[in-house]
Amino acid sequence: MNILGFDIGGTKCAVVTALWDGKEIKLLKKKKCPTERELTPAEMIDKLIAMADGILECKPDAVGISCGGPLDSKKGIIMSPPNLPGWDNIGIVKQIELHYGVPVHLQNDANACAVAEWKFGAGRGAENMVFMTFGTGLGAGLIIGGKLYSGTNDNAGELGHIRLDKFGPVGYGKVGSFEGFCSGGGLAQLGYMKAIEKAQSGEYPMYFKKGMTVADVTAKTIADAADQGDETAIEVYRICGEYLGKGLSVIIDLLNPEVIVIGSIFARSKNRLWEPAKKVIEKEALSLSANCCRVVPAELGEHIGDYAAVAAALL
């Protein structure tokens, strides 16, 4: 199969071509551009189609679209994603189908990434798999019984909204949420809170200086400080790991997956997050379910967006 994929984001978009033989995927060509806010959605989609035409060597057999939600995958409509202002009820599938005359499939980016890791990455061969983003935010895609499960209206897998504690960092508009503790933004908030505690006693962690705001703290600066032995930074990642374990315990008990694949920050900082998470899982999750579940870093790395756009076409 010759596959064409569209990866649509709030700041940048990409088109990618690939060849799928039923077992292995081969990415062929890619072109990317900024998401131009001055263009209407229809004009931006036309621009992406023109980019795709420029790299296609033959007519695609199928087209996939990966985009942030909310969206209606069955009707092929993008429904006002917060990172795409003005993209209100956009019939993107119909517009692309009219151009290519082949099947076009739309999925939210977390679901598309889940399918990518399931088809091409760390979840290959699994019947029941959970993929978690663990990047800027925390989203998830669910593979249940060898099929993508997206729920009644494409909202399955919003694990970041689960509240894990009454207090804590804010994520997904909720204090103490899974996303609040386990995301780039959550780590920054947690790191800032711990740094302020230290600063009030006259101590400053390596990642924090007097006058800094939460915007000056990132998951990476905290991780770099932890690598250099900073105790506060190490504690921040330990706390994050413990709450990751709490959230994973809920997933393990509820869905009984054989593998949980976690991307981005977990893939980069597993050495700091997994041990505290594992201890909590051993205490909180049903042992029969926990013992048959592997928790592994995502394999597709920085190219997961390309693979996700392609994977959407295979649905």
Side-chain angles (χ1 to χ4, degrees), residues 134 244 262-271 273-274 295-297:
F134 205 146
L244 176 63
I262 314 179
S264 298
I265 292 170
F266 182 80
R268 294 192 294 269
S269 300
K270 181 183 176 183
N271 62 321
L273 294 168
W274 178 236
V295 179
V296 298

Side-chain angles (χ1 to χ4, degrees), residues 59 72-73 90 107 110 118 126 139 145 149-150 156 176 205 211 213 248 277 306:
K59 182 178 178 177
D72 187 327
S73 62
I90 303 302
Q107 275 296 334
W118 177 47
Y149 178 75
S150 55
T213 67
L248 292 178
D306 302 335

Side-chain angles (χ1 to χ4, degrees), residues 212-244:
M212 277 188 170
T213 67
V214 68
D216 300 312
V217 180
T218 68
K220 185 179 186 309
T221 60
I222 300 169
D224 290 343
D227 289 341
Q228 296 177 61
D230 183 87
E231 291 183 3
T232 305
I234 291 169
E235 183 186 6
V236 169
Y237 269 83
R238 178 189 58 76
I239 294 169
C240 176
E242 288 177 350
Y243 279 94
L244 176 63

Side-chain angles (χ1 to χ4, degrees), residues 238-261:
R238 178 189 58 76
I239 294 169
C240 176
E242 288 177 350
Y243 279 94
L244 176 63
K246 289 184 179 183
L248 292 178
S249 297
V250 172
I251 297 167
I252 290 167
D253 285 351
L254 185 65
L255 297 177
N256 189 204
E258 61 198 273
V259 60
I260 299 174
V261 180

Side-chain angles (χ1 to χ4, degrees), residues 33-248:
C33 71
T35 306
E36 297 184 38
R37 299 294 171 88
E38 63 272 17
L39 298 180
T40 67
E43 290 170 341
M44 187 65 209
I45 295 165
D46 278 337
K47 177 174 179 175
L48 294 174
I49 289 172
M51 286 170 52
D53 288 347
I55 62 172
L56 280 168
E57 295 182 357
C58 61
K59 182 178 178 177
D61 297 303
V63 179
I65 308 165
S66 171
C67 180
L71 49 79
D72 187 327
S73 62
K74 295 179 179 69
K75 294 181 179 178
I77 296 172
I78 296 174
M79 302 164 64
S80 309
N83 64 339
L84 289 169
W87 287 58
D88 305 321
N89 299 314
I90 303 302
I92 187 170
V93 165
K94 183 177 180 180
Q95 187 173 344
I96 294 175
E97 277 183 342
L98 285 171
H99 184 80
Y100 290 110
V102 301
V104 178
H105 302 279
L106 170 68
Q107 275 296 334
N108 74 53
D109 46 10
N111 281 350
C113 287
V115 176
E117 285 288 346
W118 177 47
K119 292 283 189 182
F120 321 131
R124 276 172 293 192
E127 278 287 305
N128 301 293
M129 184 200 92
V130 176
F131 169 78
M132 295 169 53
T133 56
F134 205 146
T136 305
L138 181 70
L142 312 177
I143 305 297
I144 299 177
K147 294 180 180 179
L148 174 69
Y149 178 75
S150 55
T152 303
N153 63 347
D154 286 315
N155 278 313
E158 297 293 359
L159 302 181
H161 198 246
I162 297 171
R163 195 188 301 277
L164 296 180
D165 210 326
K166 291 181 180 179
F167 305 102
V170 178
Y172 220 129
K174 184 183 281 187
V175 170
S177 65
F178 200 169
E179 180 172 286
F181 283 103
C182 298
S183 66
L187 273 164
Q189 291 177 64
L190 190 58
Y192 179 75
M193 291 160 58
K194 288 295 178 182
I196 291 296
E197 287 179 16
K198 289 289 185 180
Q200 288 182 351
S201 60
E203 299 177 42
Y204 288 88
M206 293 175 67
Y207 62 87
F208 189 80
K209 292 183 174 59
K210 189 174 182 179
M212 277 188 170
T213 67
V214 68
D216 300 312
V217 180
T218 68
K220 185 179 186 309
T221 60
I222 300 169
D224 290 343
D227 289 341
Q228 296 177 61
D230 183 87
E231 291 183 3
T232 305
I234 291 169
E235 183 186 6
V236 169
Y237 269 83
R238 178 189 58 76
I239 294 169
C240 176
E242 288 177 350
Y243 279 94
L244 176 63
K246 289 184 179 183
L248 292 178

